[in-house]
Amino acid sequence: MAHRGDKTACTLHDRSEAGAEPDYSDCSATYHFLGTRWNLQIISALLNGYTRFTEIAQLLNLNSRTLAERLKHLELEGIVIRQVRNQIPVRIAYGLTAKGQALHEVLSEIQKWAVYADGPEAIEVIGEKNGGRCAERGILQIG
C-alpha cells in the first residue's frame, strides 16, 4: 500500500465499502509525467521500435535541445533506452523499455477518450492546426 508521501506510487485506496469514489490523489507524479510537454509524443514516436534522434526530431518538428532534454529525462525514468551502434560513424537510436512499451495501452485509452469527448471532428481539426503533421505521421493514431 502506498503512502501519501510516496510520489512514485499510484494506488487506489479501497473505499468501495463506504460507497465513495476511488482516491486518485497518490497519482500526482504520474499525472505530472503524463502532462509534461513532449513526453507522450516522444513515446508515441518510439512505439514502432528504435528510432534515430534526427528522425524523432523531424517527426515531431522538435528542436534538438528540447528533444535531448526530454530523452535524457525519459531515460532516467526508465521509459526510454539509448542504444549506441558501433558503426562508423557511430549511430545512436532510442527505443522503449518494457516500462515504456506498457504505456501503449495508456496512449490508446487516451486516444479513445479524446474521440469520445471531442468527437472525430476534433481530431481532424488538431491535425489541420499542426499543418496536417499529426495526421500524416500518425502521432494521434495509436495502435
Side-chain angles (χ1 to χ4, degrees):
M1 177 68 73
H3 299 286
R4 292 240 182 247
D6 185 359
K7 298 285 186 197
T8 61
C10 184
T11 305
L12 298 179
H13 297 288
D14 187 10
R15 296 170 54 193
S16 57
E17 293 174 14
E21 290 294 316
D23 179 6
Y24 296 99
S25 62
D26 286 345
C27 297
S28 61
T30 302
Y31 296 149
H32 177 72
F33 172 80
L34 293 175
T36 300
R37 189 166 183 165
W38 299 111
N39 278 358
L40 296 182
Q41 292 91 335
I42 292 169
I43 293 166
S44 177
L46 296 175
L47 283 173
N48 292 324
Y50 281 89
T51 308
R52 293 184 57 206
F53 184 93
T54 54
E55 293 170 346
I56 300 168
Q58 289 173 350
L59 180 68
L60 299 177
N61 195 27
L62 188 58
N63 71 56
S64 297
R65 181 178 176 192
T66 302
L67 180 57
E69 177 186 296
R70 297 309 320 141
L71 284 169
K72 183 180 255 184
H73 177 75
L74 290 168
E75 192 174 0
L76 290 172
E77 290 288 331
I79 304 290
V80 168
I81 188 165
R82 182 177 185 259
Q83 181 184 64
V84 179
R85 297 178 183 164
N86 292 326
Q87 301 174 317
I88 298 177
V90 173
R91 294 185 182 240
I92 298 171
Y94 294 87
L96 295 175
T97 63
K99 184 177 175 181
Q101 286 288 340
L103 287 167
H104 184 269
E105 187 175 330
V106 172
L107 293 172
S108 293
E109 291 301 316
I110 289 171
Q111 181 187 21
K112 287 177 192 175
W113 180 84
V115 171
Y116 166 78
D118 296 327
E121 301 82 23
I123 299 298
E124 293 301 318
V125 169
I126 291 169
E128 289 172 16
K129 284 184 180 176
N130 288 315
R133 287 191 303 268
C134 290
E136 289 172 13
R137 295 189 176 130
I139 294 169
L140 293 175
Q141 185 67 33
I142 308 296

